[in-house]
Amino acid sequence: MVRRLMRGGHQCVVYDLAPAAVHTLASEGAAGASELDDFISRLAKPRAVWLMVPAAAVDATLDALIPKLDAGDIVIDGGNSHHRDDIVRAVRLSERGLHFVDCGTSGGVRGLDRGYCLMIGGATEIVRHLDPVLATLAPGPGSIPETPGREQARGGGTAMQGYLHCGPNGAGHFVKMVHNGIEYGLMAAYAEGLNILKHASIGSRVGIGDAETTPLRNASAYQFDFNIADITEVWRRGSVITSWLLDLTATALARDPGLDGFAGRVSDSGEGRWALEAAIEEGVPANVLAAALFARFSSRGQDEFQNRVLSAMRLEFGGHVEKNAGT
C-alpha cells in the first residue's frame, strides 16, 4: 500500500516492528522511522496514521500511539477489525480530540497494481479530508464497463472508483465483514464443485460392494478423468461464474495441477464468524456462509472428535466396524 501511495506522489513515513520492512521501503523512497516517537515526529499535522495490524493487536497499538498524538490527528484502521470495536475506539479517540476511521481493505498482495477496494466508516469531513489518499489506493474504474442504470451517478460518488464512504464509524468494517463472509461462500462453492469433478472417475475404481458403503448405482456414469486446470481455464472465458477468484484458482492449478503443495488446512481470521453473528442478531438466514465457515473448521481437524462419536454410535447400535482409510 505504501508503494502504491508513493507511486501516486504521496510522501509516506513508515514504521514497523520488523526493521527490515522499514529499511526496504526507506530504500524505495519512504521516510523510515526506527521507533514510534520518530514516526510521529516525522508526520505533518494534522497527522494521518494508517494501521495495518491484526485485529487482536489494534488496541495495544492504540495504547502506544494515542498519548503521542495531538488533537485533530486521524487514525485509520485498515485491517479486519470487528465493527463493534470500531465504535468503541472512535469514542475513545474522540475524548482526546482525535478522529478514527475504519477502512475495510480488499485486494491482497495484488493490490499494488490492481488497487484496493476500500469500504470506509467515519465522519464525513474526515473521510473527505483523506480523499486524495483513498483515491490513490483505490483501483479506479479501469476497464469495467459502467453498470446499466447507474449513469446518473457519473460525476458524483466514488463507488465506481472502487472506494466508498459507507457510513459512520463501524460501517466500513461491517461492509468488509459481509464481503469476507461472501468470499468464504464463493470459495467454498468453487472448491466443492471442483472436488466433484476431481472424483468423477469413481466408477472406474468401484470394487465389490459391502454393507458399509452406499453402492454406486451406475458405475458407467462416473468414468470421467477431467483435467481440472483446463476446466477452470475454460470457465474463465464467457462463463457466468467467471470471477477474479476463478482466475486465481486457474493460476494455482496451472502451477500445481494436483495442489500437492497444500495440506488443505484453511484458516478463518474472524470476519466469517462475525458475519454469522450479525445474521443471527438481525434474524436473517445465512446458510451458505455458515456452511463455508464450518467447512473451514473441519479442514483444521475440528471435526475429528465428533466423527469418532459417530463411529462409536454406529458400532454400538449396529455393530458397524470402521472401514480403513481410503476404502
Side-chain angles (χ1 to χ4, degrees), residues 92-224:
R92 177 186 177 192
L93 267 67
S94 69
E95 293 171 348
R96 299 288 297 268
L98 305 172
H99 306 289
F100 184 80
V101 172
D102 51 283
C103 185
T105 307
S106 182
V109 296
R110 307 295 183 94
L112 174 60
D113 296 314
R114 289 174 56 98
Y116 302 89
C117 177
L118 304 175
M119 296 142 272
I120 308 144
T124 300
E125 64 275 15
I126 302 304
V127 175
R128 186 178 298 120
H129 171 78
L130 295 170
D131 190 77
V133 170
L134 301 171
T136 300
L137 289 171
S143 60
I144 300 174
E146 195 171 73
T147 301
R150 283 194 60 91
E151 290 83 357
Q152 70 276 11
R154 187 186 292 116
T158 61
M160 291 168 55
Q161 304 299 316
Y163 68 108
L164 180 67
H165 181 202
C166 300
N169 284 120
H173 277 148
F174 191 97
V175 174
K176 179 57 163 44
M177 171 187 75
V178 176
H179 164 285
N180 281 25
I182 293 171
E183 178 184 300
Y184 283 24
L186 290 172
M187 292 173 70
Y190 282 127
E192 290 179 9
L194 295 178
N195 199 33
I196 294 170
L197 292 170
K198 176 73 173 177
H199 290 86
S201 61
I202 189 173
S204 62
R205 304 191 305 275
V206 173
I208 299 175
D210 59 58
E212 298 301 308
T213 307
T214 301
L216 185 64
R217 295 175 61 88
N218 189 351
S220 64
Y222 296 93
Q223 300 282 335
F224 305 111

Side-chain angles (χ1 to χ4, degrees), residues 205-288:
R205 304 191 305 275
V206 173
I208 299 175
D210 59 58
E212 298 301 308
T213 307
T214 301
L216 185 64
R217 295 175 61 88
N218 189 351
S220 64
Y222 296 93
Q223 300 282 335
F224 305 111
D225 184 15
F226 291 119
N227 185 313
I228 308 301
D230 281 352
I231 290 172
T232 57
E233 186 63 30
V234 75
W235 282 351
R236 292 182 62 216
R237 305 175 188 282
S239 164
V240 72
I241 63 169
T242 188
S243 72
W244 187 35
L245 277 173
L246 183 60
D247 294 344
L248 297 175
T249 304
T251 298
L253 287 166
R255 185 169 52 241
D256 181 4
L259 300 181
D260 298 321
F262 298 89
R265 181 181 175 89
V266 187
S267 299
D268 72 289
S269 55
E271 300 88 342
R273 304 185 189 201
W274 303 335
L276 286 184
E277 289 177 2
I280 291 168
E281 294 184 352
E282 294 173 6
V284 299
N287 303 341
V288 172

